[in-house]
């Protein structure tokens, strides 16, 4: 299993989930209660080594964040 995590710049965990990469993964996260700001989406292997990372900006007016891996 792999793990995907979304973490704010302040090291606050917003979302974390174990995933299998043999299938398409899609997630929608409600952002209405999350303040706007910079966050990182990181994909970890089964030994928790970071494999890929993307910086994103959460907009205050957005109701949700959707991503597909």
């Amino acid at each position: 299993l792999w793990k995907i995590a979304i973490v704010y710049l302040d090291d606050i965990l917003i979302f974390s989930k174990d995933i299998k990469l043999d299938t398409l993964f899609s997630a929608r996260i409600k952002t209405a209660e999350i303040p706007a700001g910079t966050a990182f989406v990181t994909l970890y292997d089964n030994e928790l080594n970071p494999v890929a990372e993307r910086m994103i900006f959460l907009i205050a007016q957005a109701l949700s964040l959707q991503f597909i891996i």
Side-chain angles (χ1 to χ4, degrees):
L1 287 177
W2 292 56
K3 181 175 286 293
I4 188 160
I6 300 178
V7 178
Y8 261 119
L9 199 53
D10 302 348
D11 293 332
I12 299 170
L13 181 66
I14 299 171
F15 175 84
S16 177
K17 184 164 181 119
D18 291 334
I19 61 172
K20 290 184 177 182
L21 290 185
D22 58 350
T23 60
L24 185 65
F25 173 77
S26 176
R28 183 180 297 262
I29 303 167
K30 293 182 181 180
T31 58
E33 298 179 11
I34 300 172
T38 304
F40 292 90
V41 178
T42 308
L43 179 66
Y44 297 92
D45 66 12
N46 58 354
E47 296 178 359
L48 295 180
N49 297 310
V51 176
E53 184 171 66
R54 297 292 181 264
M55 183 172 68
I56 60 173
F57 186 79
L58 299 174
I59 300 171
Q61 294 83 6
L63 297 177
S64 66
L65 166 69
Q66 182 175 8
F67 56 93
I68 299 171
I69 295 178

